[in-house]
């Protein structure tokens, strides 16, 4: 038994707690092991729901909804997401753009059956951040960041002296404590790959939410609706927020551009399922269970 296995076994002997609950339109799973596991798991569940209530643009009382409605909001979480979103806009040459909230709202309305029309225009507004205050002259879209951010923040609720934990929310995961399977985008029980990694994980693609062949992915740079691939799974060293943002971005890009971009992105690797064929970045297999 190596030192990691020994520590894990010690945590398990001290107690474990698991919570499964619905949040952010997906299933969240929280696992805590070690001292105070039950209390930590309960805190993590409350934290998940608290953050979701602030970051859900479709909740009229959320901080994001207030920003989109009133043009300004003071909220530390929204401010953090906006800063990272603006940075990713620069790093992806506009393929990731939090300024497209109007497109997101119209697209989600269509997918939910609340509207019969798809977005026809991509009109980016202006957004700025000063401390915890964010100002925007048109709606923002933080959807490609929020779930990964929530996973990151909730994971901190599980960590502590003599305790470790794991958070999974609809394909976005903090570093898993053991091998985890990547789900198939084909509505079957096949495992695409089994990961064994201490990096963060996120999956995106056109299979999650669809209506009449249209899904939730869009590319504001080319003004194209729809994912190019069945699924994209990213492992990122920095945090789950980065994995989430990259998975969202790569799902909207053509295959050749995906592979070029991920190979040029330090601390990240990807698996792309395109027309039933697996494509991996140069270092992805290092994160796959033998």
């Amino acid at each position: 038994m190596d030192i990691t296995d020994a520590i894990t076994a010690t945590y398990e002997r001290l107690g474990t707690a698991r919570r499964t609950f619905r949040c952010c339109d997906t299933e969240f799973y929280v696992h805590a092991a070690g001292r105070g596991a039950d209390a930590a798991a309960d805190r993590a569940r409350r934290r998940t729901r608290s953050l979701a209530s602030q970051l859900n643009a479709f909740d009229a009382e959320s901080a994001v909804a207030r920003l989109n409605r009133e043009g300004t909001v003071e909220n530390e979480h929204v401010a953090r997401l906006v800063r990272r979103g603006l940075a990713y806009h620069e790093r992806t040459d506009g393929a990731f753009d939090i300024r497209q909230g109007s497109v997101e709202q119209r697209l989600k309305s269509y997918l939910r059956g609340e509207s019969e029309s798809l977005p026809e225009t991509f009109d980016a507004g202006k957004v700025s951040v000063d401390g915890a205050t964010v100002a925007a002259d048109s709606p923002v879209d933080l959807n490609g960041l929020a779930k990964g951010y929530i996973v990151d923040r909730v994971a901190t609720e599980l960590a502590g002296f003599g305790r470790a934990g794991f958070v999974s929310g609809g394909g976005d995961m903090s570093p898993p404590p053991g091998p985890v399977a990547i789900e198939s985008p084909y509505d079957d029980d096949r495992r695409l790959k089994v990961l064994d990694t201490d990096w963060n994980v996120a999956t995106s693609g056109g299979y999650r939410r669809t209506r009449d062949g249209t899904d939730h992915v869009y590319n504001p740079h080319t003004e194209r609706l729809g994912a190019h691939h069945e699924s994209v799974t990213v492992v990122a060293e920095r945090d789950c927020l980065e994995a989430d943002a990259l998975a969202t971005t790569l799902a909207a890009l053509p295959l050749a551009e995906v592979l070029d971009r991920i190979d040029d992105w330090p601390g990240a690797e990807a698996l792309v399922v395109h027309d039933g064929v697996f494509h991996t970045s140069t270092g992805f297999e290092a994160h796959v269970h033998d």
Side-chain angles (χ1 to χ4, degrees), residues 169-181:
D172 289 10
M173 306 176 193
S174 63
V180 295

Side-chain angles (χ1 to χ4, degrees), residues 26-179:
T26 192
E27 289 291 327
F28 263 76
Y29 170 77
V30 168
H31 175 87
R35 295 176 64 251
D38 268 310
D42 286 338
R43 286 197 303 272
R45 179 167 53 187
R46 291 193 297 270
R47 183 67 160 166
T48 301
R49 288 175 169 159
S50 172
L51 288 168
S53 70
Q54 297 174 65
L55 300 176
N56 180 6
F58 297 92
D59 178 351
E61 301 303 315
S62 74
V64 176
R66 292 201 308 275
L67 171 62
N68 289 345
R69 184 172 59 246
E70 300 169 10
T72 185
V73 73
E74 185 175 352
N75 183 282
E76 60 175 321
H77 305 296
V78 176
R80 289 186 186 123
L81 291 181
V82 166
R83 284 194 181 90
R84 289 285 288 273
L86 292 175
Y88 289 135
H89 180 261
E90 293 297 320
R91 291 187 68 181
T92 63
D93 302 315
F96 188 92
D97 192 351
I98 64 169
R99 304 171 303 163
Q100 299 288 347
S102 294
V103 171
E104 182 214 17
Q105 290 178 3
R106 293 195 299 272
L107 185 54
K108 292 290 179 60
S109 179
Y110 174 81
L111 294 176
R112 291 172 175 173
E114 300 164 354
S115 168
E116 296 302 317
S117 60
L118 288 166
E120 295 180 353
T121 59
F122 286 70
D123 298 318
K126 295 180 181 179
V127 60
S128 61
V129 57
D130 181 9
T133 301
V134 179
D137 63 5
S138 65
V140 299
D141 175 10
L142 303 181
N143 191 56
L145 302 166
K147 195 164 53 161
Y149 177 79
I150 290 172
V151 167
D152 289 330
R153 303 297 292 185
V154 172
T156 65
E157 297 288 345
L158 300 175
F161 178 72
R163 187 177 64 248
F166 168 65
V167 184
S168 174
D172 289 10
M173 306 176 193
S174 63

Side-chain angles (χ1 to χ4, degrees), residues 175-233:
V180 295
I182 303 174
E183 69 179 12
S184 170
Y186 303 116
D187 293 325
D188 56 37
D189 295 329
R190 285 182 298 166
R191 297 178 176 182
L192 299 186
K193 294 277 187 176
V194 176
L195 298 178
D196 189 0
T197 181
D198 57 2
W199 288 11
N200 302 269
V201 183
T203 298
S204 184
Y207 68 100
R208 292 188 178 275
R209 307 181 196 92
T210 63
R211 178 187 174 194
D212 297 332
T214 298
D215 58 65
H216 70 290
V217 176
Y218 65 88
N219 185 338
H221 185 64
T222 60
E223 300 191 357
R224 179 186 186 275
L225 298 176
H228 275 277
H229 324 288
E230 287 94 304
S231 71
V232 177
T233 297

